[in-house]
Amino acid sequence: MARYAAGTVDCPGSPKSVRIVVVGDKGTGKSSLIVAAASDSFPPNVPPVLPDTNLPLEFFPDGVPVTIVDTSSSFVDVLEVSFDISARGLRPEDREMVAEELRNADAVVLTYDCGRPETLEGLSTYWLPELRRLEVKVPIIVAGCKLDLRDDNSQVSLEQVMSPIMHQFREIETCIECSALKQLQAQEVFYYAQKTVLHPTGPLFDQESQSLKPRCVRALKRIFILCDHDRDGALSEAELNDFQVKCFHAPLQPSEIEGVKRVVQEKLPEGVNERGLTVTGFLFLHALFIEKGRLETTWTVLRKFGYNNDIRLADELLPPSLFKRAPDQSVELTDVAIDFLKGMYVLFDDDGDNNLRPQEIEDLFSTAPESPWTEAPYVDAAEKTSLGGLSFDAFLSLWSLMTLLEPARSVEHLIYIGFPGDPSSAIRLTRRRRLDRKKQQCERKVFQCFVFGPNNAGKSALLNCFLGRSYADNPGSTADERYAVNVVDESGSAKKTLVMREIPEGGAQGVFSSKESLAACDIAVFVYDSSDESSWKRATELLVEVATHGEATGYEVPCLMVSAKDDLDSFPISIQESTRVTQDMGIEPPVSISSKLGDFNNLFRKILTAAHHPHLSIPETEAGKSRKHYNRLINRSLMAVSIGAAAVVVGLAAYRVYAARKSTSA
């Protein structure tokens, strides 16, 4: 099984080119190594720094162009007492040039001189720490150049010399000794460098445990399921052949299939059953390929199914619309995607109790790189059942939240769990919010509400109650943003999804720091403690700030004031003051609620209704009113001038006609 197929450059996720940067101490043979590899000959005279060198495509079987970048090392001298980079004569422009090349590298070849032990010492005392300082996170190939100059009486092997260094610096992929003069392994240096980029070991295999890494297992499991067309849990001979042709462009002979089964069955009996190769056997085969150094086989399979070097789906497989949208547009799931998710929910809800348990959620995402809902903002964002699981509404709410916040990640995970259609059919771009206000209606199904308010106003309690939890539940740090998402029944309409985004008081300035920060907001709610006058004043200040920001940027949003803790005694003249302020700004009076008593006064429906009519409930500041009044005066003046000018033009034309007629009659 799995004859290696050359030419993977056309696969999604496969690197389209490889850029190898060569660095090392002065005189270690960098430039000579590059010329020897490219021309298959030893150069008698080499310039201090070579221009970028492209290796012939026929050198390597993958058809991926390789560019080798030489670097200046005139500033490096390992005999210096200090290894501090600032004390080694490095000119700032050279330092920055080398650093920039290293940041753009796909792999690094680090050279030393086999005949000069001090250059080997420089790897661990200067070069490798310096690469870490620059945060160069690419494979490193250590190349011992000038092998022909090494003392033949040396009894120390390369493995003995490099083992301590490789143990300290795990980023070193391999070490190789070469000679440009003798044409020994010069091309092999760059072959290994290219191979570490195209077929890296790190993402696939854990060397310490000698096992496939979890993300690799999940990807291969998904590939197995996609190839198991009859869903019987095993790959038949026909399915194995289809897989082989897709990945390697050649079918397997019956004897080869039997040979594969025999190898698996001898080592792992459960890897084969009467129907064919099981998922356990499929994973075992790939572990075997990697152990035998045939990483290209597993990488070819992964690339054919769209995986990149991070074992995630390549961006090319995602709809372009995900990356091109206006700031006030959002992304929602289509009915096609929702129907698919309904089917997946039923499939994984084993006992059909409308409660997808945590283990069942993990099973659902077992073919994704990881479960996307185990961390903020998703981990506590939806209502849980009494058994700690998710109802279908809560399940769909989390998908809607992920599609709103991270649409590319949402579509990516739809593909991971088996969405069968064109990924672009799973999502739709909503109309721009600015246009919604002009048309005075909204077609969205998912609305985002920003929840502002001072500390201890009751914001967290409000979100807790929105998710059916106790108002006193501890949500964690109040300094972090928090999301809550749920389905709301709008009066006389279909269910809509409401996303509540709690913005801590300290985080409000961050919202106002960007011109487009309110673009994704459908409605802003301002919560204050009705028993605390200072809380009310701060909430009013935040309302004015939001209104001012919206007027200045054009991203105006409907606003609603919420008077929380209604079970406590209100501060004097609270009702009159709050009513006056909201009337002056042109929005509804505050809605009184008590999270403690569970009295929400239909708040969530009111929020949804206000968001659904985006032209209403938009607050106006005094400056905004003055600006509108001024603009109206200017427009009236311009209209009067236009009418006057038109009258003059018409009068002049009439006079000319009259004059022409008079002249004719005369």
Side-chain angles (χ1 to χ4, degrees):
M1 179 180 169
R3 306 181 195 92
Y4 174 53
T8 59
V9 69
D10 58 336
C11 297
S14 178
K16 301 300 182 282
S17 63
V18 175
R19 189 173 181 85
I20 302 170
V21 176
V22 184
V23 294
D25 286 337
K26 181 180 180 180
T28 53
K30 298 188 300 298
S31 301
S32 297
L33 173 64
I34 295 171
V35 174
S39 64
D40 210 13
S41 62
F42 179 72
N45 296 303
V46 207
V49 181
L50 294 171
D52 291 0
T53 303
N54 296 314
L55 293 184
L57 285 179
E58 61 268 18
F59 274 22
F60 306 113
D62 298 274
V64 178
V66 175
T67 300
I68 305 176
V69 180
D70 195 7
T71 57
S72 171
S73 57
S74 59
F75 55 87
V76 177
D77 185 353
V78 296
L79 295 178
E80 292 280 352
V81 175
S82 171
F83 284 98
D84 179 65
I85 192 165
S86 62
R88 300 182 65 166
L90 173 59
R91 294 179 303 176
E93 58 270 25
D94 286 340
R95 179 172 66 232
E96 184 52 41
M97 188 180 302
V98 174
E100 188 62 28
E101 291 290 3
L102 288 168
R103 291 189 191 101
N104 294 325
D106 297 308
V108 172
V109 170
L110 181 54
T111 62
Y112 69 93
D113 184 340
C114 291
R116 294 165 59 202
E118 68 273 14
T119 61
L120 177 60
E121 181 185 350
L123 300 184
S124 54
T125 56
Y126 171 70
W127 280 109
L128 290 163
E130 178 65 7
L131 292 175
R132 282 186 177 178
R133 188 189 70 81
L134 293 172
E135 297 184 350
V136 177
K137 297 179 180 178
V138 297
I140 297 172
I141 307 297
V142 172
C145 299
K146 305 185 182 182
L147 180 60
D148 51 287
L149 298 181
R150 190 171 66 184
D151 183 3
D152 292 335
N153 296 321
S154 174
Q155 300 298 315
V156 182
S157 67
L158 177 63
E159 183 178 355
Q160 290 174 305
V161 170
M162 289 304 305
S163 182
I165 299 176
M166 293 184 71
H167 183 74
Q168 182 182 358
F169 298 94
R170 299 282 186 176
E171 54 267 43
I172 299 175
E173 284 283 337
T174 191
C175 304
I176 184 172
E177 293 181 328
C178 58
S179 169
L181 177 65
K182 301 293 186 181
Q183 287 297 295
L184 292 174
Q185 303 197 115
Q187 291 179 358
E188 281 79 355
V189 170
F190 299 104
Y191 168 78
Y192 284 120
Q194 186 213 38
K195 186 177 180 182
T196 61
V197 176
L198 299 181
H199 314 127
T201 306
L204 304 184
F205 201 71
D206 188 322
Q207 297 286 8
E208 292 187 6
S209 65
Q210 288 293 293
S211 61
L212 296 175
K213 287 191 172 179
R215 186 173 285 190
C216 178
V217 170
R218 287 168 171 258
L220 291 173
K221 181 180 176 183
R222 171 178 171 263
I223 292 169
F224 179 91
I225 292 171
L226 291 175
C227 295
D228 182 17
H229 304 305
D230 56 11
R231 298 291 187 268
D232 66 347
L235 297 183
S236 64
E237 291 190 10
E239 289 167 339
L240 275 172
N241 257 324
D242 289 344
F243 165 80
Q244 181 75 14
V245 170
K246 177 181 176 65
C247 295
F248 305 102
H249 311 295
L252 288 170
Q253 298 300 318
S255 59
E256 291 178 304
I257 293 177
E258 287 305 315
V260 168
K261 289 181 180 179
R262 186 167 56 253
V263 168
V264 173
Q265 207 158 25
E266 286 175 358
K267 301 287 186 181
L268 196 73
E270 64 269 29
V272 177
N273 62 25
E274 66 278 4
R275 296 185 299 277
L277 186 70
T278 67
V279 66
T280 307
F282 187 72
L283 294 172
F284 168 78
L285 273 179
H286 282 280
L288 191 63
F289 293 147
I290 294 169
E291 286 176 7
K292 292 182 177 297
R294 294 174 56 188
L295 285 89
E296 64 274 8
T297 299
T298 300
W299 273 116
T300 299
V301 171
L302 291 169
R303 296 254 162 73
K304 288 294 182 180
F305 283 86
Y307 287 92
N308 59 22
N309 275 14
D310 295 323
I311 321 236
R312 303 194 73 93
L313 289 180
D315 287 345
E316 300 100 290
L317 299 179
L318 301 178
S321 58
L322 291 173
F323 308 101
K324 296 179 182 179
R325 62 181 189 277
D328 59 344
Q329 282 183 294
S330 55
V331 183
E332 295 181 354
L333 295 170
T334 62
D335 291 340
V336 173
I338 291 172
D339 287 343
F340 166 74
L341 290 172
K342 284 180 181 177
M344 296 304 290
Y345 186 91
V346 171
L347 179 64
F348 282 87
D349 183 18
D350 291 335
D351 48 13
D353 61 349
N354 194 34
N355 172 42
L356 203 63
R357 299 189 301 274
Q359 184 55 54
E360 291 170 333
I361 296 172
E362 180 59 37
D363 292 343
L364 170 69
F365 289 117
S366 65
T367 51
E370 59 273 320
S371 176
W373 297 343
T374 56
E375 296 178 355
Y378 309 108
V379 64
D380 284 319
E383 186 173 3
K384 300 287 179 65
T385 65
S386 58
L387 299 175
L390 297 175
S391 67
F392 176 68
D393 278 350
F395 174 75
L396 196 58
S397 293
L398 278 178
W399 275 103
S400 297
L401 177 62
M402 186 160 64
T403 306
L404 178 74
L405 301 182
E406 301 177 280
R409 191 180 188 195
S410 180
V411 173
E412 183 185 357
H413 279 80
L414 281 172
I415 298 172
Y416 288 138
I417 67 172
F419 183 74
D422 181 350
S424 61
S425 69
I427 46 112
R428 74 178 190 94
L429 280 181
T430 65
R431 191 167 62 191
R432 296 190 63 176
R433 288 175 174 84
R434 189 173 297 182
L435 191 55
D436 284 344
R437 289 195 294 274
K438 287 182 179 178
K439 292 186 174 291
Q440 301 187 358
Q441 61 178 351
C442 182
E443 300 172 347
R444 297 174 192 275
K445 296 179 181 178
V446 180
F447 296 89
Q448 182 168 198
C449 171
F450 285 18
V451 183
F452 293 91
N455 293 332
N456 302 313
K459 302 188 298 297
S460 297
L462 177 62
L463 266 66
N464 282 339
C465 296
F466 182 53
L467 299 178
R469 300 173 189 164
S470 167
Y471 74 96
D473 280 357
N474 182 12
S477 172
T478 56
D480 298 327
E481 287 193 354
R482 178 187 169 205
Y483 287 86
V485 58
N486 214 336
V487 171
V488 177
D489 284 315
E490 193 180 15
S491 301
S493 181
K495 290 181 177 180
K496 299 291 170 59
T497 301
L498 180 61
V499 174
M500 307 279 282
R501 175 186 172 187
E502 178 185 353
I503 298 175
E505 183 179 6
Q509 290 308 312
V511 173
F512 304 133
S513 63
S514 166
K515 176 184 177 182
E516 299 168 348
S517 54
L518 290 176
C521 179
D522 292 296
I523 180 170
V525 165
F526 301 84
V527 183
Y528 64 93
D529 180 348
S530 61
S531 67
D532 184 350
E533 186 174 4
S534 63
S535 181
W536 151 251
K537 288 182 177 178
R538 180 56 185 145
T540 305
E541 291 171 0
L542 288 168
L543 170 63
V544 173
E545 289 183 59
V546 167
T548 303
H549 190 76
E551 290 169 349
T553 61
Y555 295 117
E556 299 165 301
V557 296
C559 293
L560 191 64
M561 298 288 286
V562 174
S563 174
K565 305 184 182 181
D566 198 38
D567 51 289
L568 303 178
D569 292 334
S570 300
F571 67 88
I573 69 168
S574 63
I575 297 177
Q576 299 94 316
E577 182 69 11
S578 60
T579 302
R580 181 190 63 78
V581 170
T582 51
Q583 282 180 343
D584 286 348
M585 298 192 73
I587 64 174
E588 293 184 24
V591 180
S592 297
I593 67 165
S594 171
S595 300
K596 185 176 181 179
L597 299 178
D599 178 14
F600 298 105
N601 201 6
N602 289 321
L603 173 63
F604 303 118
R605 284 187 180 178
K606 289 179 180 179
I607 291 174
L608 206 58
T609 300
H612 210 267
H613 299 86
H615 62 295
L616 303 176
S617 301
I618 294 179
E620 285 186 294
T621 63
E622 290 302 322
K625 291 177 184 177
S626 299
R627 196 179 301 112
K628 282 188 177 180
H629 180 66
Y630 175 76
N631 289 338
R632 280 196 292 267
L633 289 177
I634 293 296
N635 289 337
R636 286 173 186 170
S637 300
L638 291 175
M639 186 176 295
V641 170
S642 299
I643 292 172
V648 169
V649 171
V650 171
L652 183 59
Y655 173 76
R656 286 177 176 172
V657 171
Y658 168 75
R661 286 179 178 175
K662 185 175 181 181
S663 174
T664 302
S665 62

